[in-house]
Amino acid sequence: MTIDIWSDVACPYCYIGKRHLEAALARFPQTEIVQINWRSFELDPQAPAKSPGDLYDVLSRKYRMSRAQAQEMTQSVENMGRAAGINFAFEQAVPVNTLAAHRLIHLAAEQNLQDVAKEHLLKAYFTEGKDLSDLDTLVSIGVAIGLEAALVESTLQSEAFVESVRADEEMAHQLGVQGVPFFVFDQKYALRGAQPVDAFVQTLEAVWEKKQAEVTANGEACDVDGCD
């Protein structure tokens, strides 16, 4: 079973959705047959390498609200994150363009390190206040997950994986994805947003049952009158 997940490392609901899916997989007996593919989705592709001010300033400008209103808006997200085991530190978050982070995830995928890369980048952005537009920071994260520093540095100093990011985003466009996280199971069934854990469990079980039914329906067999 494949699960393709479109998300951005600057999306708090993507972090929560990841945690909810992980909790659901812990309750799914066939978890060993699940393959997760992280797909790139930039919430703001035109964002500067680093936006002026902090996250609350960015939210204030984007939604035309006061800083106090922006802080209040994130409170419910903090509560939801806490319930999922995430201690969001929005006051420390450094708003950046996330293209480089997505490229690092694609590089990590070549060495089966995609999921751990996603986890480290989400944690770095939302709980550690790290600047994901900074090359040294991204190299440090790459080394922490098992990549060679020189490889990460040379990759991010080139245009490598830019086309891979764009291909993911074009796929999302064709699917009509307008918000993330967006989960597609076996290229057929979709869930949008940080769904509750039970919703993920129910979807996993339903997709598994359909796979089993397909195997039963499509399998050749012999009976007392002969073979198909």
Side-chain angles (χ1 to χ4, degrees):
M1 181 192 305
T2 60
I3 306 178
D4 292 282
I5 310 171
W6 278 265
S7 73
D8 196 354
V9 297
C11 164
Y13 289 115
C14 294
Y15 202 176
I16 295 169
K18 185 176 187 294
R19 282 290 180 273
H20 286 181
L21 176 61
E22 290 166 347
L25 287 170
R27 292 163 51 184
F28 183 57
Q30 289 78 31
T31 186
E32 73 281 351
I33 60 100
V34 176
Q35 176 183 327
I36 294 176
N37 302 313
W38 289 101
R39 302 290 185 181
S40 301
F41 191 99
E42 297 170 275
L43 289 170
D44 188 2
Q46 305 307 318
K50 185 188 296 186
S51 297
D54 61 15
L55 184 60
Y56 296 125
D57 293 324
V58 172
L59 292 174
S60 297
R61 290 192 295 268
K62 182 175 182 179
Y63 297 108
R64 300 176 183 273
M65 61 174 61
S66 69
R67 181 180 176 85
Q69 288 174 315
Q71 291 173 321
E72 183 178 351
M73 185 175 71
T74 61
Q75 188 59 55
S76 62
V77 184
E78 288 185 15
N79 294 338
M80 184 181 290
R82 196 173 298 111
I86 303 168
N87 293 315
F88 284 114
F90 291 120
E91 70 283 355
Q92 297 179 27
V94 181
V96 297
N97 184 296
T98 59
L99 176 59
H102 285 294
R103 292 169 59 212
L104 177 57
I105 293 170
H106 277 280
L107 172 63
E110 292 193 334
Q111 298 190 31
N112 266 340
L113 295 170
Q114 191 184 41
D115 190 76
V116 68
K118 185 75 174 184
E119 178 67 28
H120 273 65
L121 288 163
L122 286 166
K123 182 178 181 181
Y125 184 86
F126 282 113
T127 73
E128 298 175 341
K130 292 185 177 178
D131 180 357
L132 298 187
S133 70
D134 179 70
L135 179 60
D136 289 341
T137 297
L138 292 173
V139 169
S140 176
I141 291 172
V143 170
I145 67 172
L147 297 174
E148 294 182 2
L151 174 61
V152 177
E153 184 171 357
S154 63
T155 296
L156 296 181
Q157 287 179 327
S158 71
E159 294 297 307
F161 299 110
V162 172
E163 290 186 4
S164 300
V165 173
R166 300 294 175 238
D168 281 350
E169 293 174 335
E170 176 58 27
M171 196 184 308
H173 176 72
Q174 292 176 1
L175 290 171
V177 179
Q178 296 182 339
V180 290
F182 193 87
F183 304 80
V184 177
F185 297 75
D186 272 354
Q187 302 179 359
K188 296 178 182 178
Y189 315 100
L191 283 179
R192 180 181 181 275
Q195 296 281 341
V197 174
D198 285 345
F200 282 113
V201 172
Q202 291 167 11
T203 303
L204 288 165
E205 291 174 345
V207 174
W208 173 250
E209 289 176 4
K210 289 182 182 295
K211 287 180 70 70
Q212 294 304 102
E214 289 173 1
V215 170
T216 301
N218 294 333
E220 303 295 340
C222 296
D223 59 24
V224 293
D225 296 318
C227 298
D228 294 336

